[in-house]
Amino acid sequence: MSSTSNLNQLKARLASARAVAVLTGAGISADSGVPTFRGADGLWRTFRAEDLATPEAFARNPRVVWEWYDWRRGLIATKSPNPAHHALVEMERRFDQFWLITQNVDGLHAAAGSRQLIELHGNIWKVRCTQCGQVSVNREVPMTLLPYCSGCGGLLRPHIVWFGESLAPHNIARSEEALHACQVLLIIGTSGVVYPAAGFSSVARAAGAFVAEMNLDSTPNSSVVDVSIQGRAKDVVPELLT
Ligand code: OAD
C-alpha cells in the first residue's frame, strides 16, 4: 500500500477518534538536530552505553558520566522544537483524551507546549540526589561538575532511566492506561528495540487500537502495526492535521 493511502487511512481513523496516544523516540528530535542513538550518526555508534548510561558506570566514574551528559545538555540547549513537536501540541487540543509518551529526555515536547506528557526515560534538564532522592530542575549550561544536593549534600545524578534500571511506576501506570484506552496509537521516530516501549504497539493493538508507525525506515514495529508511513517526522506528522 502506498504511503498516501496509508496516510489517508490514518487520517480517517483520527477523524473519528476521541482518545489518541502517541509514542515518540529520538527520530522526532532528529529533525531539530538532536542526534539519535542507533542511526548512522547515532550516539551509540561513537559511545558505549555501558560506560555512560548505567548505574555501574556512574558508580565507577561519575565525572565521566556527567561530562557526557553536560556535553549533550550543551548541544540540546541550542535546539528548538520542530513542526512535528508543534503538531502534537495541536493534536492534544483536538481530542477528548490524549497522551504523549516519549522516550526522549531532551525536553523538546514540553518546550513546544505539550502538557499530557509522560517522559518515560526521564529528562536531561532534571537532576536527582543519590542520597535523599530529591528531584530538581537544573538548566545550567555548562554545569559545575560534580554537582551536589543543596539539601543534603549528596552527589546528584541525571534524572534519566539508565540501562538496567526500572521505569517510574507512575509512568508505567499512565502508559498502560493510555495503551488500553486509546483508539489510535501513533508511533513516531523510534527504532522499537528498547523495552518496555518497544512492546507498546502490540499492547495497544491487542486492546483494539489502530496503530500507525511514522519513521524514516522500517523497524521491528512495522510488521505489528496497521499502517507504516515512511518519511521525516517534521513532514509527515503535521500532515495529520490537514
Ligand atoms: P533510536 O536512535 O534507537 O531510533 C531512532 C529512530 O528514529 C530510528 O528508527 C530512525 O529510523 C528514526 N528516525 C531518524 N530520523 C528520523 C526522522 N527525521 N523522522 C522520523 N524518524 C526518524 O532512538 P529511540 O528509539 O528513541 O534511552 O531509542 C530508545 C532509547 O534508547 C532512548 O530513549 C535511549 C536509548 O538508549 C535512554 O536514553 C534511557
Side-chain angles (χ1 to χ4, degrees):
M1 210 183 273
S2 78
S3 239
T4 315
S5 105
N6 280 346
L7 188 64
N8 289 337
Q9 207 186 332
L10 173 56
K11 283 167 82 168
R13 291 288 183 149
L14 285 171
S16 61
R18 283 170 291 101
V20 171
V22 180
L23 170 68
T24 63
I28 195 166
S29 292
D31 284 334
S32 294
V34 179
T36 62
F37 294 93
R38 296 179 182 79
D41 301 322
L43 293 172
W44 297 150
R45 296 285 171 122
T46 318
F47 302 99
R48 280 159 45 96
E50 51 273 45
D51 292 341
L52 298 166
T54 65
E56 293 78 18
F58 190 71
R60 237 179 359 248
N61 196 336
R63 183 170 291 274
V64 163
V65 172
W66 261 124
E67 280 170 356
W68 188 63
Y69 278 95
D70 192 38
W71 168 74
R72 285 178 61 199
R73 285 162 58 106
L75 196 149
I76 292 166
T78 65
K79 310 301 180 198
S80 313
N82 66 60
H85 295 103
H86 292 301
L88 294 179
V89 178
E90 173 57 25
M91 214 178 268
E92 179 172 336
R93 293 196 194 101
R94 291 195 183 182
F95 298 100
D96 293 344
Q97 285 186 288
F98 185 83
W99 303 263
L100 174 50
I101 309 167
T102 188
Q103 298 168 89
N104 298 345
V105 299
D106 55 33
L108 290 181
H109 284 303
S114 285
R115 293 286 165 260
Q116 299 304 324
L117 185 58
I118 303 167
E119 292 184 318
L120 213 54
H121 292 170
N123 186 306
I124 204 162
W125 301 111
K126 290 182 181 168
V127 294
R128 186 167 82 241
C129 179
T130 55
Q131 297 297 319
C132 70
Q134 175 77 31
V135 175
S136 52
V137 173
N138 176 315
R139 294 202 160 266
E140 202 190 339
V141 173
M143 288 181 77
T144 309
L145 299 180
L146 293 168
Y148 291 94
C149 179
S150 56
C152 76
L155 179 62
L156 297 174
R157 58 164 279 177
H159 186 50
I160 300 236
V161 181
W162 284 327
F163 288 102
E165 296 185 317
S166 305
L167 304 186
H170 67 275
N171 283 338
I172 298 180
R174 285 177 70 201
S175 302
E176 287 285 333
E177 176 201 277
L179 299 174
H180 286 92
C182 70
Q183 289 144 352
V184 175
L185 170 67
L186 305 177
I187 299 180
I188 305 168
T190 175
S191 57
V193 296
V194 176
Y195 281 83
F200 285 4
S201 49
S202 304
V203 174
R205 204 141 184 259
F210 182 86
V211 182
E213 174 182 57
M214 310 176 99
N215 199 303
L216 267 185
D217 291 318
S218 60
T219 74
N221 276 319
S222 308
S223 55
V224 177
V225 299
D226 293 284
V227 294
S228 263
I229 296 163
Q230 289 202 351
R232 291 193 169 278
K234 74 170 172 50
D235 301 324
V236 292
V237 182
E239 275 286 315
L240 299 176
L241 299 171
T242 60

